[in-house]
Every structure is written in C-alpha cells, then in structure tokens.
Amino acid sequence: QRSQLDVLFDKLNVSSGRREEFDKQIVTLYPAHVRPFFKTLRSAKRFLNALSTRLPVVIDEVYLLDFVLLEVLRLFVPRVYQDIYDNRHYYIPDWTWEETFSSPFGYIASSDKSKLSAKIEEHINDLLSDEPRAESIREILETIFFVRVKDTGVQHSGNFSAEVRGKRRLTHPESFPKYFVLSVPRGAIPDKVIADTFATWTSTPDASGVIQRTFSDYKQRGDLLKLADSIVVFLNEMDDSIVDPLLDAT
C-alpha cells in the first residue's frame, strides 16, 4: 500500500533514485525513532500538511531524508529545532572559511578536536535532558548531522565536504540556510539552475557552443566563479557526453 508520502513525492516528480535512497534510510529509523512522534492521526495529518506546504518550495535544493527529519523536529520538538538554527556551530562543521570565522569556537586544531567533541556532547545532553523522547531525538540528530553530532572520530577530507554539498545535505554550511528560510540565499546560484543547465548542455547538438555562451553570460553578470564552483560540486550529476565539450569550452 502506497503511503501519503509516496503520493506527495509523485506530485513533486521526485526521481526514482532519490526515492529509493530515502526509502532505504527511513525504513531503519521510522519504527523506533520517528513513529513515536505520531501518536494520533491528527499529528500525522499535521505533519503531512506541513510537509506538503514546505517541501515543494525547496524540493530541488534539499536532501529528502534531512528535510523530512528536520520537519519532524520543527513540529514536535520546536525547542530542538530552534536550537539547531540558533546554535548552528554545534551541528555543522566549519567546512567554509565563513563558518570558521563566525564560529564561537574559532579555529580548531586537530589536537583539540576531542575538546570540541566534548563541548558538543555537553550541549546536546543539556538540550535533551528533559525530553521524554531524548533517545529518538538524538538518533535523528546523529542521522542528520552525522559529522558533528555523531562524531565517529573519522577525519574527513575536502573531497568529502564537496560530496556532502553535492548531495545537498543539511550538515553542509551552504545548504543549511535553505532548510530554514525555504529559499536560496541571495546571490547564490540555485542547485536547480545548475541541474537545468546540465540538462540543456546534454540535450543540444552544439554542446561546446552552448557551454561557451553560458560561461559568457555568467561572466557578464560577474558570477562565473560561482558557476565554476557549482559545476565542481555537481560533477557527479554531469552526463559523460558533455565532459569533452566542457573541457573544450574552458
């Protein structure tokens, strides 16, 4: 039997790949850590109504699992949701210089990572100390913020950061604000625009010419560097057929 979530994904034309990835992940979380939030039919309807209103606005800018789980927190544990927004540095890594400069922790040397982990653990423990569903909330936080909150001790490379950004995960600083303000930050190129640009390049017989014109347009607007950064982030989504024309155009 198809769920109301499946119906919503149908309406939003969510690709089979994204749906399969979501289904694979949510099936392990739902019974023990998500289902307890839906104690009544009314609470389930409230959640679906909210998701039906909010998800379409940013469907091409977010990671499905992250958005759905964050929406659970927003509706049923608003205090935790607000803490994530107000204290982002406890949740997302300093993968950009902007985050490092604005972080209350400052620059963290590798030798001091354990001290930061202790601070994060203390913050989460205090936050959840009076929560009756603390275990489920913690599991959700560790799923969404798998780098900062879960903290397996693994050191991640810059390539890993790009991979996380390419998947539009909430834990990346460049994706984080989209989940809360439901829009693309001013001056940023929407991920949907990059996806449509790749599709245009792939479908045209004169890929090199079209790519050159795209570059020229962005250069005139002063956004060529932003375009180049976005291309690097989403290289895995690029069709192999436009790799050579792209190299020719550059």
Side-chain angles (χ1 to χ4, degrees):
Q1 185 178 359
R2 290 170 59 75
S3 69
Q4 290 301 308
L5 205 54
D6 287 319
V7 174
L8 174 60
F9 289 169
D10 283 344
K11 290 181 179 179
L12 298 178
N13 295 315
V14 176
S15 68
S16 59
R18 291 181 75 187
R19 294 172 76 145
E20 288 172 6
E21 189 170 9
F22 174 83
D23 290 342
K24 183 178 178 181
Q25 295 166 319
I26 198 68
V27 71
T28 59
L29 273 173
Y30 184 82
H33 300 298
V34 178
R35 179 67 181 85
F37 290 96
F38 304 125
K39 292 184 175 181
T40 65
L41 181 59
R42 181 179 180 182
S43 63
K45 287 184 176 179
R46 179 188 174 204
F47 173 76
L48 285 169
N49 288 339
L51 198 64
S52 298
T53 300
R54 294 167 63 85
L55 181 56
V57 183
V58 286
I59 184 61
D60 296 304
E61 306 293 325
V62 299
Y63 189 72
L64 286 179
L65 182 69
D66 290 350
F67 194 90
V68 169
L69 294 181
L70 185 65
E71 193 66 4
V72 170
L73 298 180
R74 187 184 74 85
L75 288 176
F76 303 115
V77 204
R79 188 170 67 89
V80 174
Y81 174 87
Q82 191 63 46
D83 186 75
I84 295 170
Y85 185 70
D86 291 340
N87 299 289
R88 59 190 285 163
H89 295 286
Y90 283 98
Y91 298 92
I92 62 176
D94 299 337
W95 273 332
T96 65
W97 283 114
E98 290 82 359
E99 289 299 309
T100 300
F101 291 146
S102 62
S103 173
F105 308 126
Y107 174 75
I108 305 295
S110 298
S111 59
D112 292 330
K113 294 294 184 183
S114 61
K115 295 180 182 178
L116 175 60
S117 297
K119 288 183 179 180
I120 293 171
E121 180 67 15
E122 181 182 5
H123 180 84
I124 299 299
N125 287 340
D126 289 345
L127 179 67
L128 303 183
S129 61
D130 297 325
E131 288 290 344
R133 293 163 294 191
E135 182 181 352
S136 293
I137 297 170
R138 180 180 291 274
E139 189 68 26
I140 289 174
L141 291 176
E142 289 184 354
T143 298
I144 299 175
F145 303 107
F146 53 93
V147 177
R148 198 72 140 179
V149 175
K150 193 169 187 177
D151 187 26
T152 59
V154 176
Q155 296 296 315
H156 299 292
S157 66
N159 289 337
F160 181 73
S161 170
E163 179 183 337
V164 172
R165 173 64 184 91
K167 287 191 171 186
R168 305 167 176 84
R169 298 298 304 257
L170 172 59
T171 194
H172 196 282
E174 292 177 4
S175 296
F176 183 90
K178 299 178 184 180
Y179 287 77
F180 292 89
V181 300
L182 302 184
S183 65
V184 178
R186 185 175 182 178
I189 301 174
D191 297 344
K192 177 65 163 57
V193 169
I194 299 301
D196 289 346
T197 298
F198 284 177
T200 299
W201 291 353
T202 303
S203 63
T204 180
D206 180 24
S208 294
V210 172
I211 291 172
Q212 287 177 347
R213 286 193 290 276
T214 301
F215 283 0
S216 178
D217 290 342
Y218 275 86
K219 184 177 181 179
Q220 289 179 6
R221 301 203 301 260
D223 290 335
L224 185 57
L225 183 57
K226 293 179 183 178
L227 174 64
D229 289 341
S230 295
I231 290 174
V232 171
V233 165
F234 295 110
L235 274 178
N236 290 336
E237 297 184 12
M238 182 182 294
D239 191 277
D240 291 342
S241 65
I242 61 174
V243 172
D244 287 339
L246 178 61
L247 292 175
D248 291 340
T250 55

